[in-house]
Amino acid sequence: MQKVSATRAFARVAPHVVPAMDRAVHRLTRGRVMLSARMLPGLILTARGARTGQPRVTPLACVPEPDGTWLLIGSNFGRPGHPAWTANLLAHPEAEVSWRGESFPVRARRLTGEERAEAWRAALAFWPPYATYQARIEREIRLFRLSRLP
C-alpha cells in the first residue's frame, strides 16, 4: 500500500475519493470507523475556515504520539499547494477532533525548527511515502501538533 500511495496517480485520485468515503463511513458508524484508518491512524478534524469562520470537517491521517498528542502532516498527497486545513489551523488553532468515537477540543501548533525536524523524522519512520511527497514539491510540508484541551 505504501508504494501505491506514493504514486502520482494516487495523488490525483485520492484527495477526491478518500475524504468523501471517510466522512460517509464516519457519519454512518457514529464516529467509530474511518476506512483510511485501516492503513494509517486517522481522525476527523473540525476547524473553522480561515476566511469564512465556518466549520470545515476534514478526515486526516495522523501520527499518534505517546504523550497523547497527534502529529498532522500537511502533505496534500505531494501536490503543489498546502492543504486548506493547514491554513484553517494557522488562522484558528482551536479545533475539535473525533478520535476513535470520542470528540473533544484541541489546540494546534505549527512545528518549526528542530521540533519540526524531529517530528518529520518520526513521521517518515511511521509512513515513509511522506518523503516521496516532499521530494515531489518545492514547498515545505507543514507539520502540526494537536494537544487535547481540558
Side-chain angles (χ1 to χ4, degrees):
M1 189 62 208
Q2 288 184 12
K3 285 183 181 184
V4 170
S5 71
T7 66
R8 289 184 191 276
F10 185 82
R12 280 192 303 275
V13 174
H16 306 289
V17 176
V18 174
M21 286 181 9
D22 271 342
R23 276 191 290 271
V25 171
H26 188 261
R27 191 172 36 253
L28 289 170
T29 63
R30 295 188 177 106
R32 291 186 306 273
V33 176
M34 282 178 55
L35 289 179
S36 64
R38 300 298 177 224
M39 293 183 305
L40 285 171
L43 53 78
I44 301 288
L45 175 72
T46 303
R48 292 192 346 233
R51 290 182 294 223
T52 67
Q54 297 299 310
R56 302 293 181 218
V57 178
T58 310
L60 296 169
C62 65
V63 179
E65 298 183 296
D67 64 355
T69 59
W70 298 265
L71 288 179
L72 296 183
I73 296 89
S75 69
N76 206 11
F77 298 95
R79 296 183 310 161
H82 291 290
W85 64 263
T86 66
N88 296 343
L89 289 181
L90 290 172
H92 305 287
E94 292 194 1
E96 183 176 284
V97 158
S98 176
W99 169 254
R100 297 183 176 163
E102 182 184 358
S103 293
F104 45 85
V106 294
R107 178 171 290 120
R109 188 168 50 82
R110 184 176 178 189
L111 303 180
T112 60
E114 183 52 40
E115 186 178 29
R116 184 202 179 279
E118 183 179 323
W120 181 246
R121 287 188 294 274
L124 291 179
F126 192 77
W127 190 249
Y130 286 134
T132 302
Y133 298 163
Q134 183 63 78
R136 200 182 290 161
I137 55 178
E138 292 182 23
R139 68 178 173 86
E140 180 178 75
I141 291 174
R142 292 174 177 164
L143 299 182
F144 291 83
R145 179 166 282 127
L146 298 182
S147 301
R148 195 173 183 152
L149 293 173

